[in-house]
Amino acid sequence: MVRLSAYLIIALCAGCGNRAQSQEQHASPAADTALTVSDSVSASRQNAITRAVRAVTPAIVSINVMELQRVVYRDPMAELFNDPFFRPFFANREQTMEVENLGSGFIVSPDGYIVTNDHLAGNATRISVSLNNGYTLDAQLVGSDPISDLALLKVNSPVPLPYLTFAAKQVPIVGEWAIALGNPFGLFEATEPSVTVGVVSAVGRDLGRKDGYFYYDMIQTDASINRGNSGGPLVNALGQVIGVNTAIYTEDGGSVGLGFAVPARKAERIIAQLRTTGMVDRSYYTGLGFLEVTAETAARRRLGSARGVLVARIDPGSPADQAGFFQEDVIIAVEDERIADFDDYVARIYDFLPGDTLTFDVVRGSQRVEVTMRIGRLES
């Protein structure tokens, strides 16, 4: 009623000439009240989520990728001669096709560096990036990492671009707001991104090795992530990037509230290497050779379960030899991260660089000991 009354007073006084001045004093309180209520309602709609979205939106991009893929298909003539005698004459054929993929990314520097996923852009022959202001720019692949599933692109812009920063020094808090931004299914190219909101459901999730990628120590969120969101940021209520949206768990291809992001502390380190050298240095050398931990070994060492890796070989003079490893040692953790199997061990080592010094939890005989080793470099 307050807003309606104010509107009637203003409408009636429009064009009243000198009479408006005499009535202006009576109109002002109602108009002021209307503005106050309107401002109050408008302010109540603003919250940490809307402010974060408004801050980060200009730095979100859509990515269009063309890549060559080998496609295996059945010769159509096989359907005409659906007979066991003719079947050998119509084997599966292989063809190379140019395939278009769509995804998301975000700008991390004013001069145009963009973060996305390796599975989106790692094998691209052509890449274009669409900004939310409607402009589309050609992009170059600076480097990609087929282990962490991260890639770095570069566009040339005549003006500085808005960019996001990683919250690399903060561990996400389980239960805090998590905002996913991107271009699901390629529906909204060259416009503002789609926004979904949830919470950080868990941290340190290990999905294992999938299609050659090592998905370890991931952030889990129930913010809806769908195909096309890959490479977009997962941000907190401060507008800081806490992760790079990378994978979902699904049974039908849609979001079921189980999305996963590469954590910022890992992403920032890898992106820095890609920007400097175009690759991630994984020329590790430890001098260790391993065997699988069997149920018999686990029972003998009182491990509780068949987990860890069994040291089967130590190269003389190697970093492992200098660190004091012994054959038959069972490595059960690296830097306090539990090791389940060889893939687990490799994934943990991949989080570090040659030259880093790591602490290993080792079962030796009936004792548990710590071994400190400086990772060496495999010389070509």
Side-chain angles (χ1 to χ4, degrees):
M1 291 296 294
V2 174
R3 295 187 63 187
L4 181 59
S5 299
Y7 171 77
L8 288 175
I9 291 172
I10 293 170
L12 289 172
C13 290
C16 290
N18 295 332
R19 291 174 54 192
Q21 295 180 359
S22 63
Q23 296 181 5
E24 191 176 42
Q25 292 180 347
H26 300 288
S28 294
D32 290 345
T33 303
L35 290 174
T36 300
V37 173
S38 177
D39 291 345
S40 177
V41 172
S42 180
S44 70
R45 296 171 59 201
Q46 304 295 321
N47 54 43
I49 303 299
T50 60
R51 287 190 290 271
V53 169
R54 184 168 60 248
V56 304
T57 287
I60 313 301
V61 302
S62 300
I63 299 176
N64 186 298
V65 168
M66 302 299 294
E67 66 175 277
L68 296 177
Q69 292 184 0
R70 290 187 302 173
V71 179
V72 178
Y73 67 97
R74 181 73 169 166
D75 192 318
M77 291 297 292
E79 303 301 324
L80 298 177
F81 297 93
N82 190 17
D83 185 283
F85 176 79
F86 291 101
R87 205 165 288 154
F89 297 99
F90 301 102
N92 289 340
R93 298 180 181 273
E94 188 176 284
Q95 181 179 0
T96 300
M97 300 177 61
E98 193 172 46
V99 178
E100 180 181 19
N101 286 317
L102 298 170
S104 307
F106 56 99
I107 306 168
V108 291
S109 68
D111 55 346
Y113 283 95
I114 296 170
V115 173
T116 188
N117 284 139
D118 173 80
H119 75 252
L120 173 65
N123 296 314
T125 55
R126 285 183 293 157
I127 307 172
S128 62
V129 169
S130 298
L131 310 180
N132 67 71
N133 61 11
Y135 288 98
T136 297
L137 303 172
D138 291 333
Q140 300 297 321
L141 179 65
V142 176
S144 64
D145 180 35
I147 298 298
S148 64
D149 198 3
L150 294 174
L152 183 65
L153 310 179
K154 177 70 166 64
V155 296
N156 294 319
S157 171
V159 297
L161 297 173
Y163 64 96
L164 305 184
T165 58
F166 287 104
K169 296 182 180 179
Q170 302 175 11
V171 177
I173 303 171
V174 175
E176 74 168 309
W177 289 117
I179 310 165
L181 301 98
N183 182 27
F185 303 105
L187 295 175
F188 310 108
E189 189 174 356
T191 187
E192 293 186 349
S194 291
V195 177
T196 56
V197 178
V199 297
V200 174
S201 304
V203 296
R205 290 299 200 206
D206 295 336
L207 307 183
R209 187 175 183 177
K210 309 291 183 184
D211 299 324
Y213 299 110
F214 285 79
Y215 294 135
Y216 286 81
D217 195 28
M218 305 287 280
I219 298 171
Q220 179 185 330
T221 181
D222 64 345
S224 182
I225 297 175
N226 291 289
R227 188 167 62 87
N229 275 114
S230 291
L234 187 70
V235 305
N236 59 21
L238 298 175
Q240 301 167 325
V241 178
I242 60 174
V244 182
N245 298 324
T246 299
I248 62 172
Y249 176 84
T250 180
E251 295 180 348
D252 58 6
S255 174
V256 294
L258 289 171
F260 299 92
V262 178
R265 64 182 181 277
K266 177 187 292 187
E268 185 180 53
R269 177 177 56 80
I270 289 172
I271 293 304
Q273 292 183 69
L274 293 178
R275 183 169 178 172
T276 302
T277 64
M279 60 178 291
V280 178
D281 183 5
R282 290 205 170 88
S283 55
Y284 304 100
Y285 177 62
T286 63
L288 289 169
F290 299 105
L291 289 176
E292 179 184 357
V293 174
T294 64
E296 179 183 352
T297 303
R300 189 170 69 248
R301 303 298 175 85
R302 298 178 182 178
L303 298 178
S305 61
R307 66 182 183 90
V309 288
L310 176 67
V311 175
R313 189 196 75 248
I314 302 172
D315 296 342
S318 66
D321 190 19
Q322 296 173 15
F325 275 101
F326 289 89
Q327 285 188 346
E328 298 291 310
D329 280 349
V330 177
I331 299 174
I332 59 172
V334 177
E335 289 292 294
D336 294 327
E337 295 286 347
R338 294 181 57 179
I339 301 299
D341 51 28
F342 181 68
D343 276 352
D344 242 6
Y345 169 80
V346 172
R348 299 308 177 196
I349 295 295
Y350 277 170
D351 279 343
F352 302 94
L353 297 172
D356 287 345
T357 299
L358 310 181
T359 299
F360 297 76
D361 291 342
V362 172
V363 175
R364 181 175 293 164
S366 59
Q367 297 182 331
R368 296 198 176 192
V369 299
E370 284 190 354
V371 178
T372 301
M373 178 175 66
R374 185 174 184 270
I375 303 175
R377 186 184 302 277
L378 183 64
E379 303 296 340
S380 57

